[in-house]
């Protein structure tokens, strides 16, 4: 057996022992040893392999799989610019704490800097965006290699998952390989290669399928189940699965608010805290916290109203995740400058990581405990009742304005889509207007899971990310999935639609708002520069999305009336539902919505 084949065989086996169940491959020659090993193990049923012809789409597919499952996903490519195509997804994974195992095949050291084909400098290619980087040695047929490869796989898994004691995220292993890159004649089947007798030491791992290195598993634990699974103590809000800031005891105050941004994870303890204290919950759609009796649905409109915010300045804010979806929310987090009464407690995400975009954090804590119960019970507090009344008034005003129009506007589409999907469904939200429309118009509900790429908030890779999230969601027994995207995001990742005949396909409906350009800019200051706006911000493209779908052999439906939405969502497999809107009309509608909600308060 040649060294490259031995490495691919052993590394794949050890990652499976750690708990790997999903792997994404972009094809290439230099990565052949890993590609063949992954193919063999997928045919044996030990993992699910996904192959994409475009590295960028492959990387965002892996991101979606890992984000929805909470488990590391292996991402493999060949050498050269293929590895550079992974960079945007690696950045998003870093910012949002998504566990990725990125393995880039490389030329051996003697070919670097020589002008050799498909050779670039891949050392620390992703800079500080990874939790750990390793330049693996060129594999050699000598004793000690198996222990090195298996320990390398375990450390990579632990660093990515957070089991090693850090914040989950991407890991980069650069793997230089010499020819030959495919099994030698006579190496036999994959199982025979794992037992290869012509290697200078046994290729087998620990007995009974155990990983080579374990990282603090408790009773009944395993490498596959560790990482982000530890829950905070009962009665606390937040909690880290690794050492970090301490829990904080907080005296009750009536004027408290809980703000939940993207990526809050399991917010149950935080919602319990808000309910016990009588505090409103201002939860972004992708926080996982937009449910329960204290969650508001129209809070973004409340925070846009100066009169309301002036009368509802909190004494305490507890924030978690990554808030910052609207300017009103950021202004609210800033509080009253110089006020000694204002306290802002931020729940840490990991070692040295917490989100404080307004720079007003007075405390960073692993969890928050309420010291003392509110008099009369939190739910009866006038403070909370005032927020709830205002939220109901704004919601009623917004719904009336949406329902008054004859067609299907973008805000109404977001509201109706979030309400129509059944319990157990997944909704992937694009980063520009779709997630903001959901923030302003989706009702609190526990049965719908909403995910988004809010780490770096890019629009790239969203088709592939949604496909990956849907595949992971449904592999875990979840229901149907939908994605709410803009036309630019859809076009940006249209290669994500190109699935080979043997590739796993999700039950996913891509709902695409088609307004011929970048709709979010029509709501920003750039719209006040008419002579330049349409070309450099609006960016009309004139593309027929139906033909894009047809080219990828994906079913396409044009949705024209609100009542058609439930029927359009029904179906199986990957499909596209297009909703055509007008950017200028959408901007005018959003202005009317803000005015109507403020007038209702």
């Amino acid at each position: 057996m040649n060294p490259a084949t031995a490495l691919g065989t052993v590394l794949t086996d050890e990652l499976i022992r750690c708990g790997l169940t999903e792997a994404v491959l972009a094809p290439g020659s230099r990565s052949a040893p890993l590609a063949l090993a992954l193919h063999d193990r997928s045919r044996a049923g030990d993992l699910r392999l996904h192959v994409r012809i475009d590295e960028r789409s492959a990387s965002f597919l892996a991101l979606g799989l890992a984000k929805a499952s909470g488990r590391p996903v292996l991402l493999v490519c060949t050498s050269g610019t293929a590895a550079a195509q992974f960079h945007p997804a690696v950045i998003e994974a870093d910012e949002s704490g998504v566990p990725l195992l990125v393995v880039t095949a490389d030329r051996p050291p003697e070919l670097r800097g020589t002008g050799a084909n498909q050779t670039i400098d891949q050392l620390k290619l992703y800079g500080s965006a990874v939790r750990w980087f390793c330049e693996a040695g060129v594999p050699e047929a000598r004793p000690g290699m198996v222990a090195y490869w298996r320990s390398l796989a375990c450390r990579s898994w632990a660093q990515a998952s957070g089991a090693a004691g850090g914040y989950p995220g991407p890991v980069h292993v650069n793997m230089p390989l010499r020819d030959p890159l495919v099994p030698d004649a006579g190496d036999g089947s994959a199982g025979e290669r794992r037992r290869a007798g012509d290697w200078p030491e046994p290729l087998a791992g620990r007995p009974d399928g155990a990983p080579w290195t374990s990282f603090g598993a408790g009773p009944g634990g395993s490498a596959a189940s560790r990482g982000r699974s530890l829950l905070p103590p009962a009665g606390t809000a937040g909690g880290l699965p690794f050492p970090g800031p301490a829990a904080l005891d907080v005296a009750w105050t009536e004027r408290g608010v809980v703000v939940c941004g993207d990526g809050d994870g399991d917010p149950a303890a935080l919602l319990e805290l808000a309910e016990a204290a009588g505090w409103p919950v201002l939860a972004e759609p992708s926080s996982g916290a937009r449910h329960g009796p204290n969650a508001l649905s129209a809070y973004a409109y409340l925070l846009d109203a100066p009169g309301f915010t002036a009368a509802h300045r909190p004494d305490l804010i507890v924030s978690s995740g990554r808030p910052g979806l609207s300017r009103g929310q950021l202004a609210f987090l800033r509080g009253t400058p110089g006020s000694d009464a204002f306290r802002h407690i931020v729940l840490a995400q990991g070692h040295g990581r917490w989100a404080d975009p307004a720079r007003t954090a007075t405390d960073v804590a692993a969890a928050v405990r309420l010291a003392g119960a509110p008099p009369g019970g939190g739910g009866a507090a006038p403070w909370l009742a005032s927020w709830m009344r205002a939220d109901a008034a704004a919601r009623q005003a917004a719904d009336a304005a949406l329902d008054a129009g004859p067609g299907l506007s973008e805000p109404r589409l977001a509201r109706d889509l979030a309400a129509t999907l059944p319990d157990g469904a997944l909704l992937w939200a694009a980063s520009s207007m779709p997630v903001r429309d959901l923030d302003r118009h989706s009702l609190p509900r526990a049965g719908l899971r909403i995910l988004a790429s809010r780490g770096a908030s890019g629009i790239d890779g969203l088709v592939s990310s949604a496909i990956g999230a849907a595949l992971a969601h449904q592999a875990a027994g979840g229901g149907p999935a939908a994605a709410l995207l803009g036309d630019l995001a859809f076009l940006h990742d249209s290669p994500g639609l190109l699935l080979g005949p043997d590739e796993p396909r999700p039950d996913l409906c891509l709902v695409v708002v088609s307004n011929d350009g970048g709709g979010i800019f029509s709501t920003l200051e750039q719209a006040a520069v008419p002579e330049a706006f349409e070309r450099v911000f609006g960016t009309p493209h004139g593309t027929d999305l139906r033909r894009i779908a047809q080219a990828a052999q994906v079913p396409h439906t044009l949705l024209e009336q609100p009542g058609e939405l439930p029927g359009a969502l029904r179906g199986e497999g990957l499909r596209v539902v297009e909703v055509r809107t007008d950017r200028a009309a959408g901007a005018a509608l959003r202005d009317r919505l803000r005015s109507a909600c403020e007038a209702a308060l």
Side-chain angles (χ1 to χ4, degrees):
M1 176 181 290
N2 63 64
T5 297
L7 168 61
T9 300
V10 170
L11 191 77
T12 300
D13 179 66
E14 190 60 39
L15 287 174
I16 291 170
R17 290 164 178 259
C18 288
L20 181 71
T21 59
E22 306 273 10
V24 180
L25 170 71
S29 174
R30 189 60 47 171
S31 54
L34 272 171
L36 293 172
L38 291 169
H39 181 260
D40 287 341
R41 298 305 292 268
S42 69
R43 292 183 65 186
D46 297 325
L47 56 77
R48 187 163 60 164
L49 177 63
H50 312 263
V51 181
R52 294 295 185 272
I53 60 175
D54 170 47
E55 284 83 9
R56 194 180 186 93
S57 296
S59 63
F60 279 101
L61 172 71
L63 180 85
L65 285 162
K67 190 176 185 75
S69 67
R71 300 164 62 88
V73 171
L74 179 64
L75 177 62
V76 178
C77 73
T78 191
S79 63
T81 57
Q85 296 297 320
F86 285 173
H87 204 163
V90 169
I91 290 173
E92 174 62 34
D94 172 38
E95 293 293 333
S96 54
V98 175
L100 287 183
L101 287 170
V102 182
V103 176
T104 55
D106 200 356
R107 283 345 197 217
E110 63 268 19
L111 293 182
R112 298 173 186 171
T114 66
N117 184 49
Q118 209 168 321
T119 304
I120 66 171
D121 183 2
Q122 296 179 199
L123 300 185
K124 298 191 175 181
L125 179 63
Y126 310 120
S128 61
V130 294
R131 301 292 177 268
W132 183 60
F133 168 78
C134 177
E135 162 80 340
V138 178
E140 299 175 354
R142 61 179 177 82
M145 286 281 96
V146 171
Y148 169 51
W149 296 333
R150 291 190 179 274
S151 65
L152 170 62
C154 290
R155 182 170 182 181
S156 301
W157 179 273
Q159 294 281 3
S161 67
Y167 185 49
V171 162
H172 178 203
V173 177
N174 194 56
M175 193 162 289
L177 298 169
R178 293 191 180 102
D179 292 336
L181 301 172
V182 297
D184 299 332
D187 274 351
S189 66
E192 290 168 339
R193 287 197 291 273
R194 291 198 294 275
R195 300 186 297 270
D198 59 344
W199 193 256
E201 60 182 344
L203 293 180
R206 304 282 188 204
D208 302 322
W212 195 261
T213 307
S214 296
F215 291 84
S222 68
S225 64
R226 288 190 296 274
R228 307 182 74 174
S229 61
L230 301 183
L231 298 177
T236 65
L240 302 176
F242 34 77
L248 193 62
D249 291 318
V250 177
W252 178 80
T253 178
E254 180 179 358
R255 300 174 72 91
V257 174
V258 172
V259 175
C260 298
D262 175 76
D264 189 57
D266 182 2
L270 197 57
L271 296 179
E272 290 175 9
L273 173 74
E275 191 172 352
W279 297 337
V281 175
L282 317 184
E284 295 182 8
S286 58
S287 67
R290 202 182 182 100
H291 59 90
N294 293 23
L296 308 185
S297 67
Y299 76 89
Y301 287 116
L302 306 186
L303 301 185
D304 282 344
F308 179 86
T309 54
H312 291 81
R313 291 194 177 100
D315 296 330
L316 171 67
I317 293 177
V318 178
S319 69
S320 66
R322 295 172 59 93
L325 196 52
S326 69
R327 295 181 180 183
Q329 185 194 62
L330 288 173
F332 184 71
L333 289 172
R334 293 189 187 100
T336 304
S339 172
D340 293 334
F342 176 73
R343 187 178 187 186
H344 179 193
I345 302 172
V346 176
L347 297 183
Q349 298 169 296
H351 282 292
R353 284 180 177 255
W354 61 89
D356 180 26
R359 295 285 187 177
T360 56
T362 56
D363 306 88
V364 176
V368 174
R369 291 188 293 254
L370 190 63
W383 168 257
L384 176 61
S386 178
W387 280 88
M388 299 297 286
R389 282 195 303 271
D391 184 67
R395 176 79 288 128
Q396 183 177 8
D399 286 342
L402 292 180
D403 294 337
L408 192 53
S409 65
E410 294 170 27
R412 181 171 181 173
L413 174 63
R415 183 198 67 179
D416 293 356
L417 178 61
T420 302
L421 289 169
D423 284 347
L426 169 74
L427 175 58
W428 186 279
S431 298
S432 293
M433 290 311 302
V435 72
R436 289 172 170 84
D437 285 336
L438 286 167
D439 191 37
R440 290 179 180 270
H441 298 284
S442 62
L443 294 175
R445 59 175 296 193
L448 178 64
R449 185 184 187 192
I450 300 180
L451 296 178
S453 284
R454 293 296 302 167
S457 301
I459 70 164
D460 45 347
L462 294 181
V463 171
S464 297
S465 297
I467 290 173
L471 285 166
H473 176 73
Q474 288 154 10
L484 183 57
L485 311 174
D487 50 358
L488 293 188
F490 178 78
L491 292 172
H492 201 291
D493 191 29
S494 56
L497 297 172
L498 304 177
L499 308 185
D502 297 326
E503 296 310 305
R505 290 173 178 261
D507 177 9
L508 172 65
C509 181
L510 298 170
V511 181
V512 184
V513 172
S514 180
N515 54 27
D516 197 28
I520 193 170
F521 296 110
S522 297
T523 68
L524 302 176
E525 294 85 348
Q526 288 90 336
V529 190
E531 64 275 10
F533 176 79
E534 194 64 4
R535 184 178 183 193
V536 299
F537 296 109
T539 57
H541 50 79
T543 303
D544 186 344
L545 303 190
R546 177 179 57 88
R547 295 189 177 184
I548 299 291
Q550 287 177 336
Q553 302 181 60
V554 174
H556 172 278
T557 301
L558 180 63
L559 180 62
E560 298 182 296
Q561 297 299 324
E564 298 172 355
L565 179 61
L569 292 175
R570 286 195 292 268
E572 296 180 353
L574 183 62
R575 55 208 187 275
V576 174
V577 170
E578 181 183 356
V579 181
R580 293 175 184 168
T581 63
D582 180 84
R583 282 187 275 124
L589 172 61
R590 291 184 176 93
D591 286 340
R592 293 198 301 273
L593 286 166
R594 277 189 290 270
S595 298
C597 290
E598 185 172 358
L601 300 179

